[in-house]
Amino acid sequence: MNYLQKMKGTTSSPPRVSLSEVFWSWLGSFLGIAAVALVHFRLLSGSELLLVIGSFGASAVLIYGAIKSPLAQPRNLLGGHVISAIIGVTCFQVLGGGALASALAVSLAIAAMHLSKTLHPPGGATALIAVTGGEEIYALGYLYALVPAGSGALLMLAVAVLVNNIPKRRYYPEFWI
Amino acid sequence: MALNSKGSGNEARHNVLQDRDLQALTEQDLIKAMQEISGYLDITPGDLQEVYVLAYAQAKKRILSREAREIMTWPVYASQEDQPLQEVIELLARTGVAGIPVLDSQDRVSGVISEKDLVQRMQGGGQSFMGLLSACMQSKRCPAVKIKASLARDIMSSPPITAGPDTPLHEIFDMLAENKINRVPVVDGEGGLLGVVSRDDLLQALSVLGVAKS
């Protein structure tokens, strides 16, 4: 196929999931984000720490809505967020905010996730937020990788393991390591 | 998306499993299969088809590369060149085996006696059992009388078509097909008998491909 032919697409969208799957995805993500949000708004509201970042909304899609995907597995969830956070913070600290730091943060995070087999789309968001997230984020420095990135992911993972396995035909995770 | 299966030249020769069987797997089949799994499968039907074709070709290659030593029968019956044919026939009758390797004085495989060889000799050249039966019905004498006094070496096919212990399955398949025989003795470097691969052994080995019932 030549360069332009490739752009036409070669196959179709996979089939839609069952309504049962829709329900359990909804329930899992509701409880997962609720957990993170409750800690954030109730426990951490006076502090400089935060637990809710936009990338967790993205993680919820994967770990509650596409639980069979390799991108949704615990290794990818935790590894992806932590590695991307470290790379994002580093880019900010070296280059400050701005377009270059933003582009490098995301692209380097993707490369690092690929190499470490922890590819997780929300990781790209975590890296970007480290550069564009504002003073609250910048003030954390590398702590960002643990709170919110690592610990938020861990909390959501706990909910995922507990809720995803309730229905008979569902199981999670596919692998740990 | 059309499904093209490109085998190597080697695979294309083997009618064991038609590549059209692979082409018979359509995206619709895959979509239906995906629908039976309740979760969201993070792969497109096209990519799934590609994986399937590649994996299947790989499995086929692996199965067809199995070696004679893995599928041959051992121990097997064998006869001696100077053994009276009548004894050999009795052995075949008793054991229900249709063919047997023949060994020389140094226990090397020098020929094979099979039902086909016997039918041919009794008819004086004809190949089929039915031809023999017909001749038998028309004559007063049993055609077997002609060869009753022979020795194994008089009747055997020689030189024998043999395989080595590491001969791959697909080569043995070709041997049986091209020479229209039903068994191949497996021999070592000196011609010593290691076992026999029969058509049945081959079918058994290939049955995992869904070609024949095992």
Side-chain angles (χ1 to χ4, degrees):
Chain A
M1 280 190 285
N2 74 26
Y3 183 71
L4 289 176
Q5 268 178 315
K6 286 196 286 186
M7 298 180 189
K8 288 207 262 184
T10 56
T11 177
S12 63
S13 172
R16 203 204 70 188
V17 302
S18 64
L19 291 176
S20 164
E21 186 69 16
V22 173
F23 168 74
W24 287 103
S25 301
W26 177 87
L27 183 65
S29 53
F30 183 86
L31 294 174
I33 298 292
V36 168
L38 279 171
V39 172
H40 176 86
F41 289 113
R42 300 286 173 87
L43 287 178
L44 301 180
S45 61
S47 74
E48 280 139 19
L49 298 172
L50 67 154
L51 204 60
V52 169
I53 45 173
S55 37
F56 288 155
S59 283
V61 175
L62 284 167
I63 69 175
Y64 306 113
I67 68 179
K68 285 176 163 319
S69 171
L71 300 171
Q73 305 309 307
R75 178 203 170 98
N76 300 66
L77 172 72
L78 295 171
H81 275 298
V82 172
I83 288 172
S84 302
I86 292 171
I87 288 179
V89 172
T90 305
C91 284
F92 177 77
Q93 302 213 339
V94 170
L95 298 167
L100 180 62
S102 303
L104 269 181
V106 174
S107 51
L108 288 175
I110 291 173
M113 285 191 285
H114 262 316
L115 288 172
S116 57
K117 290 182 27 144
T118 58
L119 194 66
H120 188 65
T126 297
L128 188 57
I129 289 169
V131 174
T132 63
E135 291 309 321
E136 219 187 347
I137 305 278
Y138 306 148
L140 291 170
Y142 283 100
L143 185 60
Y144 174 71
L146 283 180
V147 185
S151 51
L154 201 54
L155 181 54
M156 289 180 68
L157 178 62
V159 173
V161 173
L162 291 172
V163 176
N164 289 344
N165 287 304
I166 295 173
K168 230 194 291 193
R169 292 188 75 183
R170 269 179 142 223
Y171 55 90
Y172 179 82
E174 303 264 320
F175 56 84
W176 285 97
I177 310 271
Chain B
M1 172 177 146
L3 176 53
N4 286 317
S5 171
K6 293 173 187 143
S8 69
N10 232 10
E11 285 165 54
R13 273 198 339 231
H14 301 291
N15 284 345
V16 173
L17 186 69
Q18 299 294 327
D19 282 331
R20 65 168 181 259
D21 294 287
L22 293 173
Q23 288 176 7
L25 181 84
T26 63
E27 272 201 26
Q28 269 313 304
D29 293 326
L30 288 164
I31 288 170
K32 287 237 166 77
M34 288 171 84
Q35 279 169 329
E36 282 180 41
I37 297 170
S38 63
Y40 182 82
L41 287 169
D42 210 359
I43 186 169
T44 58
D47 286 340
L48 190 54
Q49 202 178 36
E50 203 180 335
V51 171
Y52 180 92
V53 171
L54 288 171
Y56 198 100
Q58 173 57 31
K60 197 168 133 186
K61 188 168 145 197
R62 176 177 46 83
I63 287 161
L64 290 174
S65 300
R66 291 177 73 195
E67 297 177 348
R69 72 165 62 99
E70 294 174 60
I71 62 170
M72 69 186 188
T73 304
W74 179 260
V76 293
Y77 295 103
S79 67
Q80 298 294 321
E81 266 186 10
D82 52 9
Q83 213 174 343
L85 185 64
Q86 198 161 351
E87 265 181 44
V88 179
I89 302 292
E90 264 156 41
L91 173 62
L92 294 181
R94 195 169 18 99
T95 60
V97 163
I100 192 174
V102 181
L103 307 176
D104 64 15
S105 50
Q106 275 130 317
D107 277 344
R108 291 177 304 204
V109 175
S110 54
V112 176
I113 288 183
S114 69
E115 283 179 2
K116 268 211 197 97
D117 297 314
L118 290 163
V119 165
Q120 210 172 344
R121 286 313 174 100
M122 285 195 277
Q123 271 198 275
Q127 291 273 353
S128 80
F129 176 72
M130 290 305 160
L132 174 63
L133 202 50
S134 167
C136 190
M137 286 173 173
Q138 286 167 30
S139 85
K140 291 205 191 294
R141 249 178 11 147
C142 178
V145 163
K146 239 192 285 184
I147 57 171
K148 195 167 148 179
S150 312
L151 298 177
R153 76 159 69 87
D154 301 324
I155 304 297
M156 71 186 190
S157 291
S158 185
I161 292 159
T162 61
D166 46 11
T167 304
L169 224 152
H170 60 80
E171 264 184 51
I172 298 177
F173 186 87
D174 282 340
M175 280 181 203
L176 297 189
E178 280 161 25
N179 297 289
K180 299 200 197 333
I181 53 179
N182 290 326
R183 66 193 51 74
V184 171
V186 181
V187 299
D188 61 25
E190 280 94 53
L193 184 63
L194 297 173
V196 172
V197 175
S198 68
R199 212 169 258 262
D200 281 342
D201 294 326
L202 205 55
L203 284 176
Q204 177 91 354
L206 294 171
S207 67
V208 302
L209 287 173
V211 179
K213 288 198 208 118
S214 64

